[in-house]
Amino acid sequence: MPKPRPIRRDFFARSVHEIAPELIGATLLVGGVGGRIVELEAYHHTDPAAHSYNGVTERNAVMFGPPGTVYVYRSYGIHWCLNFVCEPAGSASAVLIRALEPTEGLARMRRRRGLSEERLLCSGPGRLAEALGVTHAHNGLALDRAPFELYARTEKPDIAVGVRIGITKAAELPWRYGIAGSRYLSKPFK
DNA sequence: TATGAGATCAACT
DNA sequence: GTTGATCTCATAC
């Protein structure tokens, strides 16, 4: 195995549409627990589905901050969802990390998630956050500092593209990316 | 395999 | 009061 190369914050100071496919296959750890990113979605500030579309609120404030920052929001009143802020500060764009192939800290993930088969540990944004212990306490933290670790992929996977999941606004935009055929996706690609 | 309810909160109308 | 970047469990087919 080649030595993993850390991804630094400046990686994120570009178009979210360039970043999103490049992050597929990267390794994300939180407190040493995590795995390979197999699915994510892009949200651009000009996109009606983005939280930042209607301007700053208390919830989405970190989206308007510097790139390479972690944005965590509560979903459906129940779950936490993990995002990485992209583009130059003020652009308020982000990628939602939707699924991981678990590789590190399997035992801790299982404990946090309760009895659960490996395939379901991180296959969805809410599940992923629970398995990695991500909460609002992580909102606004830098991605290249503890407890976060992010490493570039060593090989380019076969990347699938599709429409985003669970949204009604701008639902037709093909801004969901994933590893084609991975069994850890929240849903298969068409 | 598919559909539906419930959990529970921030933003918006 | 309604909706939403969700998940789990129950019930129906």
Side-chain angles (χ1 to χ4, degrees):
Chain A
M1 273 251 297
K3 188 177 178 185
R5 180 175 60 80
I7 294 177
R8 289 176 296 126
R9 300 186 73 176
D10 56 14
F11 174 90
F12 292 94
R14 300 177 288 145
S15 162
V16 68
H17 300 302
E18 281 179 40
I19 296 167
E22 288 182 29
L23 274 179
I24 295 296
T27 295
L28 168 69
L29 305 179
V30 181
V33 173
R36 187 165 72 132
I37 297 174
V38 299
E39 179 185 346
L40 55 74
E41 290 173 353
Y43 287 86
H44 192 253
H45 64 288
T46 57
D47 157 20
H51 286 170
S52 52
Y53 184 66
N54 288 312
V56 189
T57 66
E58 193 172 340
R59 175 176 72 160
N60 68 20
V62 317
M63 282 188 80
F64 291 81
T69 305
V70 171
Y71 167 50
V72 181
Y73 68 91
R74 197 186 283 275
S75 170
Y76 289 89
I78 306 287
H79 304 101
W80 299 108
C81 290
L82 172 66
N83 299 253
F84 301 161
V85 177
C86 298
E87 310 213 354
S91 290
S93 301
V95 290
L96 167 69
I97 310 302
R98 289 192 54 90
L100 299 183
E101 174 184 337
T103 61
E104 305 293 322
L106 276 285
R108 286 178 71 186
M109 289 194 244
R110 271 193 243 273
R111 205 174 313 134
R112 286 173 177 147
R113 294 267 299 122
L115 292 178
S116 182
E117 55 178 302
E118 180 181 324
R119 191 180 65 80
L120 296 177
L121 283 177
C122 301
S123 59
R127 293 167 173 164
L128 182 160
E130 186 176 31
L132 270 53
V134 169
T135 70
H136 64 124
H138 297 91
N139 192 38
L141 297 183
L143 257 178
D144 55 1
R145 303 191 56 178
F148 293 95
E149 293 173 76
L150 187 60
Y151 299 103
R153 68 189 176 209
T154 53
E155 291 177 9
K156 186 174 179 183
D158 185 9
I159 296 179
V161 178
V163 296
R164 296 173 293 181
I165 293 178
I167 58 172
T168 54
K169 293 173 244 177
E172 73 288 355
L173 297 176
W175 289 354
R176 175 179 179 235
Y177 301 88
I179 296 184
S182 169
R183 58 190 287 258
Y184 298 97
L185 297 172
S186 65
K187 278 184 158 178
F189 285 84
K190 281 255 175 93

